[in-house]
Amino acid sequence: MAQSVGIKDVARAAGVSVGTVSNVINRPDTVASETRARVQSAIERLGYVRSESARQLRAGRSRIMGLLVLDMGNPFFVDVARGAERAARDAGLGVMVCNSAQSAGEEAEYLALFAEQRVRGVLLTPADATGRNIEAFRRHGIPFVLVDRVAEGTTECSVSVDDVAGGALAVRHLVDAGHRSLAYVSGPPGFNQVRDRRTGALNALAEAGLSPDALRELPTERLDVAAGRDAGARLLGLSDRPTAVFCANDLLALGVLQAMYAAGVVVPDDLAIVGYDDIEFAAAAAVPLTSVRQPAVTMGAMAADLLLEETEEHDGQRPHEHRRVVLQPELVVRRSSLAAR
């Protein structure tokens, strides 16, 4: 195995001190041009790459921001990562993206990794409904911002969408279209987003003078297409099948749509479907999917900006005040929900 080239090797090859090489790398204006050229030539010839981890230990700060999301297979979180990466890059930072796969155990492992790597800060969409992982991570003193989650019971910053309003938008649209028997494919009940969207759905039913019994909940263990197909199969087995379905995210809705297509159920004539997130695949589905749009890229960028503000406060640059930012959703109507009953 080839031995890595160190700063001492560069100094020896250029005939200068280690301090001079360090100055060329970090403060080139302080070094004479002839000496600087000789050191740079040695760096290129030897293929020297400075150790970022060593630099971080000396400086006491990292140029890496951690991002831990629930499911990188969900395009919604890809868009969140895009927004965070853009804001981090503008600040001269990189982003380490990790996927908890909706597992509290994997979330704990990645948070421990972030602490070991001494990242500058973390953007986190929690998978652990108990909050124990956050409590354990807080002891490390590393700033973090919650993404797609309100910072309930904590003082940290958060950037989220008003999911109660989003759930109401979806069901109000279905009720206005004439539906009086609906289902909610809800996902894991431990997720705040799932509960809030259900609350909004019930609020819309109440506004229309309908009983909560008009909404039948079909929980799933995960928020993916396979879970949506399973929920669709259960829906098909109901003797009094609802005429419309609201799904907690678009992946679930696409799974339900697949199940209906396979069974010969016509969407939207036999069953209207509304999703949530408005991922790119929603508009490209066989039956274009009505969905509640979340501004995912904006959410990621705003969360990164809040984290950068807080880390600058830690560096003594400017004061930071924790904030809860709540963005508003938007209903995007497509063919999957357009047939009135």
Side-chain angles (χ1 to χ4, degrees):
M1 182 177 178
Q3 189 173 12
S4 62
V5 176
I7 193 170
K8 291 181 180 179
D9 300 311
V10 175
R12 190 180 305 113
V16 298
S17 69
V18 169
T20 299
V21 176
S22 177
N23 284 338
V24 169
I25 295 171
N26 298 298
R27 296 177 296 277
D29 292 343
T30 66
V31 183
S33 59
E34 182 180 344
T35 303
R36 186 167 68 242
R38 193 163 72 249
V39 170
Q40 289 173 337
S41 176
I43 288 173
E44 293 174 4
R45 187 169 69 253
L46 296 175
Y48 168 75
V49 178
R50 70 175 180 177
S51 171
E52 178 62 18
S53 60
R55 188 201 67 79
Q56 289 175 191
L57 286 172
R58 290 192 301 271
R61 59 190 298 194
S62 171
R63 293 178 58 242
I64 298 297
M65 178 187 298
L67 171 62
L68 182 55
V69 300
L70 289 176
D71 180 11
M72 280 305 294
N74 186 339
F76 166 75
F77 288 111
V78 174
D79 286 343
V80 169
R82 284 175 49 216
E85 189 273 338
R86 185 180 304 164
R89 186 178 64 244
D90 289 344
L93 304 180
V95 179
M96 179 192 299
V97 181
C98 297
N99 176 28
S100 71
Q102 304 177 40
S103 164
E106 292 189 35
E107 175 182 83
E109 292 175 4
Y110 279 123
L111 288 175
L113 175 64
F114 289 153
E116 290 171 6
Q117 295 296 316
R118 302 185 185 185
V119 297
R120 189 181 186 92
V122 173
L123 305 177
L124 171 64
T125 303
D128 176 24
T130 70
R132 284 192 291 264
N133 285 343
I134 289 179
E135 285 302 316
F137 184 70
R138 188 181 280 113
R139 294 197 296 266
H140 297 290
I142 297 174
F144 65 90
V145 174
L146 300 181
V147 185
D148 193 32
R149 179 70 58 85
V150 176
E152 295 176 352
T154 72
T155 59
E156 280 76 23
C157 289
S158 65
V159 181
S160 63
V161 166
D162 188 341
D163 284 316
V164 174
L169 282 174
V171 171
R172 190 178 297 122
H173 166 68
L174 292 170
V175 169
D176 288 346
H179 297 281
R180 296 297 181 266
S181 176
L182 298 86
Y184 176 43
V185 178
S186 60
F191 290 162
N192 289 3
Q193 300 96 319
V194 167
R195 295 197 301 268
D196 287 349
R197 291 165 196 177
R198 179 179 183 273
T199 297
L202 292 174
N203 289 348
L205 291 178
E207 290 172 6
L210 297 174
S211 165
D213 294 337
L215 185 72
R216 181 176 306 189
E217 186 166 1
L218 297 174
T220 63
E221 294 184 358
R222 298 181 63 79
L223 290 161
D224 55 25
V225 174
R229 285 196 297 267
D230 174 73
R234 283 183 280 154
L235 189 66
L236 289 167
L238 297 177
S239 58
D240 53 343
R241 185 192 308 162
T243 62
V245 179
F246 168 43
C247 299
N249 76 1
D250 284 341
L251 296 184
L252 290 172
L254 291 172
V256 171
L257 180 60
Q258 289 178 7
M260 296 304 110
Y261 181 82
V265 175
V266 179
V267 176
D269 296 343
D270 300 328
L271 183 77
I273 301 176
V274 174
Y276 205 104
D277 289 339
D278 194 34
I279 62 176
E280 183 178 356
F281 299 142
V287 179
L289 186 67
T290 294
S291 184
V292 178
R293 176 178 293 166
Q294 297 200 82
V297 174
T298 299
M299 192 182 303
M302 293 185 72
D305 286 339
L306 287 173
L307 188 60
L308 289 167
E309 284 183 18
E310 185 169 357
T311 56
E312 287 175 358
E313 178 192 48
H314 280 222
D315 296 336
Q317 294 186 36
R318 57 174 171 169
H320 170 77
E321 181 180 344
H322 288 309
R323 300 198 298 279
R324 293 183 179 183
V325 178
V326 180
L327 305 174
Q328 291 303 309
E330 174 189 358
L331 182 69
V332 180
V333 178
R334 301 189 180 96
R335 192 154 57 88
S336 71
S337 65
L338 285 181
R341 302 301 297 181

